[in-house]
Amino acid sequence: MEEQEMYLKVKKVTDKFTESMYFLANEPSVALYRLQEHVRRSLPELVQHKTDMQGVEEQCQGAIYTVEYACSAVKSMSNSGAYFKNIEGLLRQAISIKDQMSSLQSRRQFLNLPPSLLPECRAKRAPLPFQCWMVYSVNNGRKAHSGPRKQKGSDGIRF
């Protein structure tokens, strides 16, 4: 019986050894199969996350560009104070020139009054420009020009 027991023990050991060898030989393929299953399940989700992140990145880049552009616009606005002061000076100058032109035009209209009206103006103590008074007093009320003839501009106004 000992021989049979020995035979059974050896057979049991060899079977266990064979099973272990078979398991070790097939273990990498089982691991790769499990890995493949995992990749098949999780890859579409990972791809979706990647495309979502790319979209978010594009939106962030657009927002960053907008903020940088707004910052540069604000900086250029803060530096524009000198330009506005220059514009204000030019506007004041234009208003002053317009007032001068208006007063010159009213003087011209006054100088073109018929001589018969000039004594009425004098009697009413209307302010006469100095040149007008001189022209009136020298010519004894006759219409005259107080200097060389001035040329007309392209718009018909005398200079």
Side-chain angles (χ1 to χ4, degrees):
M1 254 232 295
E2 273 187 42
E3 216 177 281
Q4 266 187 339
E5 273 182 37
M6 190 63 125
Y7 180 73
L8 283 172
K9 284 184 180 181
V10 170
K11 184 167 172 128
K12 195 175 188 183
V13 168
T14 56
D15 286 342
K16 287 284 184 182
F17 184 73
T18 306
E19 185 181 333
S20 294
M21 289 304 287
Y22 180 77
F23 183 74
L24 287 174
N26 289 323
E27 178 60 27
S29 64
V30 170
L32 289 176
Y33 175 75
R34 296 289 182 207
L35 187 64
Q36 182 183 13
E37 267 185 351
H38 175 70
V39 168
R40 280 187 187 170
R41 274 187 275 126
S42 62
L43 188 65
E45 187 178 331
L46 289 174
V47 169
Q48 183 63 38
H49 283 300
K50 182 181 177 183
T51 55
D52 292 345
M53 292 304 290
Q54 286 174 340
V56 169
E57 181 185 12
E58 288 176 7
Q59 289 176 347
C60 288
Q61 290 296 329
I64 289 170
Y65 175 77
T66 303
V67 168
E68 287 175 350
Y69 184 73
C71 287
S72 69
V74 168
K75 286 178 184 176
S76 68
M77 285 172 135
S78 66
N79 296 335
S80 64
Y83 297 113
F84 284 117
K85 287 180 183 176
N86 187 22
I87 290 170
E88 181 183 8
L90 291 173
L91 285 172
R92 289 180 191 268
Q93 204 174 28
I95 291 170
S96 161
I97 291 170
K98 188 243 176 210
D99 290 342
Q100 288 175 2
M101 289 176 66
S102 295
S103 69
L104 282 175
Q105 187 175 12
S106 66
R107 285 182 193 165
R108 282 189 189 141
Q109 288 173 352
F110 185 75
L111 287 176
N112 290 333
L113 286 175
S116 60
L117 291 181
L118 286 175
E120 288 178 24
C121 292
R122 197 171 113 206
K124 293 179 182 177
R125 298 196 183 263
L128 292 175
F130 182 73
Q131 286 181 332
C132 177
W133 179 255
M134 290 301 292
V135 168
Y136 176 73
S137 63
V138 169
N139 292 324
N140 292 326
R142 285 179 276 131
K143 188 174 178 182
H145 296 285
S146 64
R149 284 262 179 188
K150 298 180 182 176
Q151 297 177 349
K152 288 186 178 181
S154 63
D155 57 356
I157 298 175
R158 291 186 181 160
F159 297 107

